[in-house]
Amino acid sequence: NAGVTQTPKFQVLKTGQSMTLQCAQDMNHEYMSWYRQDPGMGLRLIHYSVGAGITDQGEVPNGYNVSRSTTEDFPLRLLSAAPSQTSVYFCASSYSGQSTTNEKLFFGSGTQLSVL
Amino acid sequence: AQKVTQAQTEISVVEKEDVTLDCVYETRDTTYYLFWYKQPPSGELVFLIRRNSFDEQNEISGRYSWNFQKSTSSFNFTITASQVVDSAVYFCALTENTGNQFYFGTGTSLTVIP
């Protein structure tokens, strides 16, 4: 039972570098999403997807790109890393379909990213 | 405006004390869903409960209980006879029937002192 798998667990980048955080789920969930967690800010939604080929912006999308070519995978791309993107990133998925979002989220174990 | 407010940033209690974590939400939808998640020091996010807006019955699960009051837009979480293993950050969250986003509160950090 893999659930939601995130890689890598830790990453250090230099300002201006690009990278992709990987997220995969094996539960056939339609809904997938990316959050960042910063001290005192809770979990803030970056991007989400309600199905393959469909993505949308969340609360803090700037500096991040996503795509959803398959149901299983939802990678998050940092185009040009900045120190402000130092954070813990969580991928999450749920059974929710395209018409409504009301099922619980299953979270990955997180990626701790530092941008120097 | 914050859709989910957890005004208590940090709480410390002595083991075996009861503790209530507050959650106040804001929505114009008549159909919505509320959640609580636990984040222990290991960092993973653990689902605790999901409640829809039409079900105002309080729920009890072992030492955990939840009080949902639509009149005050609150969904509070009580831990009875707290234990050290309850030490964690607890998040309240809201989804609305008309959207596709989860709105999380800023979390309450609970420390249970042995």
Side-chain angles (χ1 to χ4, degrees):
Chain A
N1 255 3
V4 180
T5 302
Q6 270 184 254
T7 55
K9 287 193 179 299
F10 302 95
Q11 184 70 50
V12 178
L13 292 177
K14 293 181 179 178
T15 298
Q17 287 185 317
S18 62
M19 79 157 296
T20 299
L21 305 185
Q22 301 291 346
C23 177
Q25 51 88 13
D26 61 357
M27 297 173 281
N28 203 32
H29 286 172
E30 291 291 336
Y31 186 89
M32 296 187 74
S33 53
W34 278 101
Y35 293 85
R36 59 177 290 172
Q37 182 178 15
D38 302 292
M41 305 289 285
L43 291 157
R44 293 184 294 169
L45 181 64
I46 303 171
H47 285 285
Y48 65 95
S49 168
V50 297
I54 306 170
T55 64
D56 207 344
Q57 296 180 352
E59 180 186 355
V60 289
N62 292 342
Y64 307 95
N65 271 3
V66 293
S67 58
R68 185 93 179 272
S69 55
T70 67
T71 299
E72 294 78 21
D73 300 300
F74 190 45
L76 178 72
R77 297 183 189 84
L78 281 69
L79 307 173
S80 178
S84 60
Q85 293 179 303
T86 293
S87 188
V88 179
Y89 291 84
F90 287 96
C91 178
S93 69
S94 83
Y95 289 110
S96 297
Q98 296 186 20
S99 60
T100 184
T101 302
N102 56 40
E103 298 293 334
K104 69 177 183 181
L105 288 169
F106 292 76
F107 283 89
S109 56
T111 297
Q112 193 161 337
L113 176 68
S114 295
V115 183
L116 306 178
Chain B
Q2 279 273 68
K3 283 187 176 282
V4 177
T5 300
Q6 294 180 257
Q8 304 152 308
T9 305
E10 296 181 357
I11 300 176
S12 290
V13 298
V14 176
E15 200 170 21
K16 297 185 184 177
E17 287 184 344
D18 299 346
V19 58
T20 295
L21 309 182
D22 297 333
C23 174
V24 173
Y25 61 91
E26 177 184 335
T27 180
R28 293 182 178 179
D29 282 16
T30 55
T31 303
Y32 52 90
Y33 300 83
L34 296 161
F35 302 78
W36 276 94
Y37 282 85
K38 174 182 179 180
Q39 186 178 41
S42 54
E44 76 271 25
L45 284 144
V46 179
F47 167 79
L48 295 178
I49 190 171
R50 168 184 178 269
R51 178 52 54 93
N52 74 56
S53 53
F54 297 107
D55 183 1
E56 285 194 76
Q57 282 192 353
N58 291 334
E59 178 143 347
I60 299 174
S61 176
R63 297 183 296 105
Y64 294 173
S65 63
W66 290 268
N67 181 268
F68 177 28
Q69 290 197 338
K70 288 177 77 170
S71 60
T72 56
S73 297
S74 64
F75 187 43
N76 296 338
F77 173 31
T78 297
I79 302 174
T80 302
S82 59
Q83 300 176 1
V84 173
V85 292
D86 296 326
S87 296
V89 180
Y90 292 86
F91 291 99
C92 182
L94 163 77
T95 65
E96 298 164 319
N97 210 40
T98 55
N100 296 106
Q101 299 195 26
F102 279 74
Y103 300 95
F104 282 84
T106 51
T108 297
S109 177
L110 174 65
T111 300
V112 181
I113 303 165

